[in-house]
Amino acid sequence: MQIGSWITLNNISVAELMADAGFDWLCIDMEHTATDYFEAQQMMIAIQAKGIPVYVRVGSNDPLIIKRVLDAGADGIIVPSVNSKSDAERAISAVKYPPIGTRGVGLARAQGYGFNFDNYRDVIAPKVKLIVQIEHINAIDELDDILSLEGVDGSFIGPYDLSGSLGKPGQYNDEDVMAAIERYELTAKKYNKWIGFHVVPPDYKLVEEKQAKGYNFIAFSFDAYFMGHAIREQLKNIKN
């Protein structure tokens, strides 16, 4: 099992602290944060200097965004709202160089600023991971077609948006929502690929519960929540 976490605060010191904590991987979130490309690259440098693989959740399934993040040196991409086989194929095409995909060739940090392109193309780029987020009931309906694609290395269930696509946002105990998540789990286990879930509360027991259900690519909370939770807990103890 791989346990990582989410970075939402665009700060190099935070990235270093998280990288020193012992996670197997870290993900820089560019979908729901104010982090820009330059800040993301600076945090990648800090994290990778600690020997930790770094993923980036991009803002959308956009070839330009994916290309810029990969050229900055990301070890993997997490693409939100992959709702169909064609969406997954679009993501694969953006991640892979020709003849497999359509990724444009740049000579940036990932390629050693032009001095390491051959090694990047032949050795590093083929190892870049693509994780697709399953966040809509349409994605559940097409999950076999999505996960069977070569080039998709794993998936991440998005229960918030998934419940919303059923018209029941945040109602995780609803029968339809629970059934959709169960369909995801049963289908994903058929493939030798990562099965992802983001456990937001910083409670290790919840991670163990997901591991027992077959999840093997688990994001454990995120930087701001870790900090906020610790502050609140300690202040509560003082005031009590």
Side-chain angles (χ1 to χ4, degrees), residues 3 43 72 74 172-173 198 202 225:
I3 298 180
M43 289 191 288
Y172 306 122
N173 294 323
H198 191 176
Y225 204 98

Side-chain angles (χ1 to χ4, degrees), residues 92-106 117 121-122 125-126:
I92 294 169
S93 182
V95 167
K96 302 295 183 181
Y97 283 131
I100 299 173
T102 59
R103 177 183 171 188
V105 175
F117 174 73
R121 177 197 61 207
D122 299 335

Side-chain angles (χ1 to χ4, degrees), residues 209-231:
E209 289 177 7
K210 293 304 177 186
Q211 183 182 14
K213 298 194 76 169
Y215 291 92
N216 55 15
F217 189 72
I218 298 176
F220 184 35
S221 201
F222 59 97
D223 50 6
Y225 204 98
F226 275 126
M227 182 171 66
H229 182 267
I231 292 168

Side-chain angles (χ1 to χ4, degrees), residues 50-81:
K50 304 289 186 177
I52 307 298
V54 58
Y55 295 81
V56 175
R57 179 167 71 172
V58 293
S60 67
N61 191 1
D62 184 317
L64 175 60
I65 296 174
I66 293 171
K67 175 171 60 179
R68 294 185 70 180
V69 167
L70 288 176
D71 286 347
D75 296 297
I77 299 290
I78 298 178
V79 179
S81 300

Side-chain angles (χ1 to χ4, degrees), residues 18 31 61 84 89 120 147 157 172:
M18 295 286 283
E31 182 186 14
N61 191 1
S84 65
E89 289 171 334
Y120 181 80
L147 295 183
I157 185 71
Y172 306 122

